[in-house]
């Protein structure tokens, strides 16, 4: 975008050089990229994991969004996106005993993903929905809606109505045994009747789930995504609002707000969480997805013509 605005192609070359170097690195799974790479050699760290969460999420996001930004004039971005989606479906998507579809993390030498999902990975259903619309891939929209249901369920399962930083799955029998050893019933280490529970009970005002709800509403027109977003907004207002702003919540299973706040308001809360909630209830021509594409920090860029 900077190259377009200045007329100087060097900025685009710098960005694409880095991406091309990553793309040319030797990888175990085509379409998936280890979380770490040695910048001096361009060789991936073979001991690092694959995920749609921390250290990886934005990279996958930009495959599709660069295709959109360039108005489809750079085919390599679409190819990389489609290849990565198919790899994610094959290697990272899993389903719990109770039927929740989720995105796990694949360790370096594992053959199947683990049983936890990061809140950060909840951006991915929105990306799939956007790709389904732009590239006419209706099968991806089905998966997007399944994953979005799981992300919202992670909010719905807690007494505060806020989603944990990480959540996981056990079989119903495993959950019963696990819960029987808890010293504090209802703690953030307990699992519900569906075998779903928090692995990290913090809520730090993250935007990924409401981002997905915004995109899914724009793509499908289904008002349930507005309803889910409204419920999340009300939970934020009730449990995260403080005298001079909003604070993270230390344990989403505890409703006592007098001691349950984290003394921090992350910048992405204003830049992303509230922006996506606002747009979820705005007319669809307000920052239309036919004219703009959002970067990973929710800044809208006009699609190049």
């Amino acid at each position: 975008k900077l190259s377009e605005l200045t007329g100087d192609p060097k900025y685009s070359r710098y960005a694409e050089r880095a991406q091309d170097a990553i793309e040319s690195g030797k990888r175990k799974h085509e379409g998936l990229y280890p979380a770490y790479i040695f910048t001096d050699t361009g060789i991936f760290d073979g001991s690092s994991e694959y995920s749609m969460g921390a250290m990886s999420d934005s990279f996958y996001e930009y495959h599709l969004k660069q295709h959109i930004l360039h108005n489809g004039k750079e085919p390599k971005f679409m190819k990389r996106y489609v290849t990565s989606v198919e790899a994610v479906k094959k290697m990272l998507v899993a389903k719990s005993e109770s039927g929740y579809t989720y995105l796990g993390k694949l360790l370096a030498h594992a053959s199947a993903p683990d049983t936890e999902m990061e809140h950060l990975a909840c951006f991915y259903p929105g990306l799939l929905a956007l790709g389904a619309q732009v590239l006419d891939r209706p099968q991806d929209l089905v998966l997007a809606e399944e994953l979005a249901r799981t992300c919202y369920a992670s909010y719905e399962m807690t007494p505060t109505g806020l989603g944990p930083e990480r959540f996981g799955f056990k079989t119903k029998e495993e959950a019963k045994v696990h819960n029987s050893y808890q010293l504090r019933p209802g703690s953030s280490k307990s699992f519900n009747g569906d075998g779903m529970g928090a692995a990290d009970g913090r809520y730090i005002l993250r935007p990924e789930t409401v981002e997905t709800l915004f995109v899914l509403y724009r793509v499908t027109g289904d008002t349930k995504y507005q309803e889910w977003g409204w419920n999340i907004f009300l939970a934020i207002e009730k449990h995260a609002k403080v005298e001079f702003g909003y604070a993270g919540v230390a344990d989403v299973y505890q409703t006592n707000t007098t001691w349950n706040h984290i003394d921090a308001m992350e910048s992405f809360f204003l830049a992303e969480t509230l922006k996506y909630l606002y747009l979820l209830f705005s007319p669809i021509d307000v920052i239309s997805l036919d004219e703009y594409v959002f970067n990973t920090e929710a800044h809208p860029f006009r699609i190049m013509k």
Side-chain angles (χ1 to χ4, degrees):
K1 192 66 176 181
L2 191 57
S3 287
E4 180 198 27
L5 294 173
T6 64
D8 190 338
K10 70 180 180 183
Y11 303 108
S12 178
R13 286 202 302 267
Y14 293 153
E16 290 194 28
R17 184 176 68 179
Q19 279 210 325
D20 289 345
I22 292 172
E23 190 65 29
S24 63
K26 186 178 180 181
R27 305 187 304 279
K28 184 177 179 180
H29 306 290
E30 185 182 12
L32 295 181
Y33 304 79
Y36 298 98
I37 189 171
F38 296 104
T39 56
D40 55 342
T41 63
I43 297 174
F44 285 104
D45 181 354
S47 65
S48 57
E49 70 277 358
Y50 305 85
S51 82
M52 287 297 117
M55 310 298 291
S56 300
D57 48 349
S58 299
F59 176 78
Y60 291 94
E61 187 175 357
Y62 280 138
H63 286 156
L64 176 65
K65 292 191 172 182
Q66 285 187 100
H67 169 76
I68 296 171
L69 181 66
H70 288 90
N71 205 13
K73 296 175 182 176
E74 294 282 353
K76 65 181 179 181
F77 296 127
M78 179 185 70
K79 181 178 182 296
R80 290 172 185 175
Y81 171 72
V82 171
T83 301
S84 73
V85 168
E86 294 306 315
V88 167
K89 290 178 181 178
K90 181 180 178 181
M91 304 300 296
L92 300 184
V93 173
K95 185 163 287 198
S96 74
E97 182 190 64
S98 296
Y100 288 110
T101 304
Y102 66 93
L103 286 170
K105 179 187 296 182
L106 183 69
L107 299 180
H109 303 294
S111 59
D114 65 8
T115 57
E116 288 187 5
M117 183 170 177
E118 296 179 55
H119 191 290
L120 278 166
C122 284
F123 87 95
Y124 198 70
L127 187 71
L128 283 173
L130 186 61
Q133 180 181 64
V134 172
L135 303 178
D136 190 23
R137 290 172 57 88
Q139 71 277 17
D140 291 349
L141 183 58
V142 175
L143 177 59
E145 295 200 271
E146 290 178 2
L147 288 168
R149 171 180 169 263
T150 301
C151 290
Y152 179 64
S154 76
Y155 282 70
E156 207 175 24
M157 72 176 179
T158 72
T160 59
L162 297 172
E165 181 75 355
R166 288 184 295 116
F167 52 94
F169 303 90
K170 295 182 181 292
T171 67
K172 293 180 181 179
E173 286 305 312
E174 288 173 340
K176 287 179 183 177
V177 173
H178 176 89
N179 289 345
S180 70
Y181 287 97
Q182 294 304 302
L183 299 177
R184 183 167 51 125
S187 77
S188 60
K189 297 297 182 183
S190 63
F191 286 75
N192 66 13
D194 285 335
M196 187 179 193
D200 180 344
R202 295 173 299 145
Y203 172 70
I204 60 172
L205 307 171
R206 284 205 184 276
E208 291 79 18
T209 296
V210 293
E211 173 186 357
T212 273
L213 298 182
F214 157 69
V215 177
L216 274 168
Y217 174 66
R218 287 287 181 94
V219 170
T220 68
D222 191 333
T223 57
K224 76 180 178 187
Y225 298 117
Q226 288 183 314
E227 294 170 9
W228 292 359
W230 183 248
N231 291 339
I232 291 172
F233 171 72
L234 292 179
I236 292 170
E237 285 290 294
K238 183 175 181 179
H239 297 286
K241 191 171 185 178
V242 292
E243 184 177 3
F244 298 110
Y246 292 79
V249 173
D251 187 343
V252 294
Y253 280 77
Q254 302 303 315
T255 56
N256 188 335
T257 58
T258 59
W259 53 265
N260 200 26
H261 286 131
I262 300 168
D263 189 19
M265 186 178 81
E266 300 286 351
S267 61
F268 51 66
F269 177 67
L270 297 177
E272 300 181 67
T273 308
L274 291 184
K275 183 184 293 180
Y276 283 126
L277 281 168
Y278 173 79
L279 290 171
L280 178 59
F281 298 98
S282 299
I284 61 173
D285 60 353
V286 176
I287 313 185
S288 168
L289 295 182
D290 293 328
E291 299 177 30
Y292 294 88
V293 61
F294 288 90
N295 74 358
T296 192
E297 304 300 334
H299 303 307
F301 285 80
R302 190 180 291 277
I303 297 170
M304 299 177 187
K305 300 302 182 184

